[in-house]
Amino acid sequence: MTSTVWKATLQLRDVQDITVPEGAEMLTAREQHGQVCVWFKCDPLALKVKRRIALVGTGHPAPDDARYLGSAHLDGGHLILHVFERGAS
């Protein structure tokens, strides 16, 4: 398998599904050009699957069944969103 790093741009919603190659390894999440993105290492030829992502504002409850991926600083740092992969251990 040849691994490649891919990026997914997230919508500003509490919970969303993204499509990634099966077995993708989530690497990090942060802001890029005013948008929240996640980067993952994957086999680009693998079957595509859905992964559930949650965006949580500072001071809001974080999901217990999730792995922290990173934080995005939007609007000049006035809005901080913390990115979690739901169902991950």
Side-chain angles (χ1 to χ4, degrees), residues 37-59:
C37 301
V38 293
W39 285 263
F40 50 92
K41 186 168 70 169
C42 65
D43 173 0
L45 302 178
L47 179 71
K48 305 304 185 270
V49 297
K50 301 281 185 184
R51 302 277 277 271
R52 183 144 291 180
I53 303 293
L55 300 180
V56 178
T58 301

Side-chain angles (χ1 to χ4, degrees), residues 1-65:
M1 170 186 89
T2 301
S3 291
T4 303
V5 175
W6 278 8
K7 173 183 82 173
T9 301
L10 303 178
Q11 298 175 24
L12 295 181
R13 296 192 338 215
D14 291 343
V15 178
Q16 62 199 278
D17 290 333
I18 61 172
T19 302
V20 301
E22 189 172 39
E25 176 189 351
M26 294 294 173
L27 300 173
T28 192
R30 59 171 293 170
E31 176 274 337
Q32 183 182 42
H33 306 299
Q35 297 181 302
V36 182
C37 301
V38 293
W39 285 263
F40 50 92
K41 186 168 70 169
C42 65
D43 173 0
L45 302 178
L47 179 71
K48 305 304 185 270
V49 297
K50 301 281 185 184
R51 302 277 277 271
R52 183 144 291 180
I53 303 293
L55 300 180
V56 178
T58 301
H60 295 267
D64 290 329
D65 65 337

